Amino acid sequence: MSRFALRATASLLLLASAVMFVAAAAQRWWPACRRGAFETDACLRLQDHALDHLLVADPWTPAGHAAQYAGVAMIVLAGAAVVLPFLLVRRPLWFAVTVAISTAGALTLLGAHAWTSGAAGQVQPTPGLTAAVLVLAVVVPVAAGIWAAREVGAGPDPSRDRWTLALAAALIASSPLPTWLLGPLVVLYSSHDTSPWSDAVVSLPLVAAAALVWKVTPRGTPRAPAPPRRAGTLADVPG
């Protein structure tokens, strides 16, 4: 697959995932939790963590199709997680493969759990959820940090360093812990439980990453110059 096709695929998958995360949040928060209505009785009831859809766990109450949409968002994001390491990482190959498999596997597990639980209307038993969250909380920020550290200052075009750092920051911000911490700050409201629309905040770094993949180009090894042609001699003439 060409570099352009990889970029387009990763960008579209990141954007599609962001849209689905917002759609999932809207199932829960709209229209009761419009801006300025966070303290109303209707919105306060929706702030109960039992309605959370990103990590479905007992006790749980479905909020429309939020869990199904969130499940689709995570599975689509798993597709982006397969593409991104091979687009961004030059070498070693084992690093890209490890990051792709672990991240995509964790997202697929969480997405399948959310979707099946939403479709059934109750939490479905899914082994490995805690491990999947830990993988996303550790592998994504660590891998993004290692990649940025290897790339910054390693090539002939320093102007690309700022885009590399920005993309690394976006990927780190999309991991579970930063998203959980940034949610109330972005919506400018801290709830007694789950802040309204904070579960949609993950869409912001995903949109940023979708744009930044077009600005960041791996610095490949320059092609070695062709050896000079040897001047012909009589010995080279066919007999």
Side-chain angles (χ1 to χ4, degrees):
M1 185 180 291
S2 69
R3 183 67 52 79
F4 177 85
L6 285 174
R7 286 174 177 165
T9 300
S11 184
L12 288 174
L13 289 173
L14 289 167
L15 287 174
S17 179
V19 169
M20 292 306 299
F21 276 122
V22 173
Q27 287 283 300
R28 176 178 181 176
W29 304 111
W30 182 262
C33 293
R34 297 184 298 271
R35 174 60 66 181
F38 290 174
E39 294 291 338
T40 62
D41 290 341
C43 185
L44 289 172
R45 285 194 295 270
L46 293 177
Q47 295 173 31
D48 191 328
H49 70 276
L51 295 165
D52 290 353
H53 52 266
L54 295 184
L55 182 59
V56 177
D58 282 321
W60 181 66
T61 302
H65 298 293
Q68 291 98 309
Y69 290 174
V72 172
M74 285 184 271
I75 291 172
V76 171
L77 188 56
V82 171
V83 177
L84 277 172
F86 298 100
L87 174 64
L88 301 175
V89 177
R90 289 178 298 154
R91 58 181 185 274
L93 181 60
W94 65 264
F95 180 71
V97 171
T98 300
V99 172
I101 291 176
S102 58
T103 306
L107 284 167
T108 300
L109 180 65
L110 289 170
H113 172 69
W115 194 91
T116 55
S117 297
Q122 59 183 0
V123 178
Q124 298 299 295
T126 308
L129 291 179
T130 302
V133 173
L134 289 175
V135 166
L136 295 178
V138 174
V139 171
V140 172
V142 169
I146 292 173
W147 169 72
R150 288 172 57 92
E151 290 294 317
V152 171
D157 186 4
S159 66
R160 293 193 181 276
D161 289 350
R162 65 178 182 272
W163 302 118
T164 297
L165 292 173
L167 179 55
L171 295 174
I172 291 171
S174 70
S175 62
L177 183 57
T179 297
W180 178 71
L181 293 174
L182 290 172
L185 296 177
V186 173
V187 300
L188 300 177
Y189 180 83
S190 182
S191 171
H192 66 286
D193 208 338
T194 301
S195 298
W197 298 98
S198 60
D199 41 17
V201 169
V202 67
S203 63
L204 299 178
L206 294 180
V207 170
L212 288 166
V213 293
W214 293 94
K215 303 293 293 186
V216 177
T217 302
R219 299 179 176 91
T221 303
R223 181 180 297 178
R229 297 185 63 180
R230 182 170 57 92
T233 64
L234 288 177
D236 297 323
V237 178

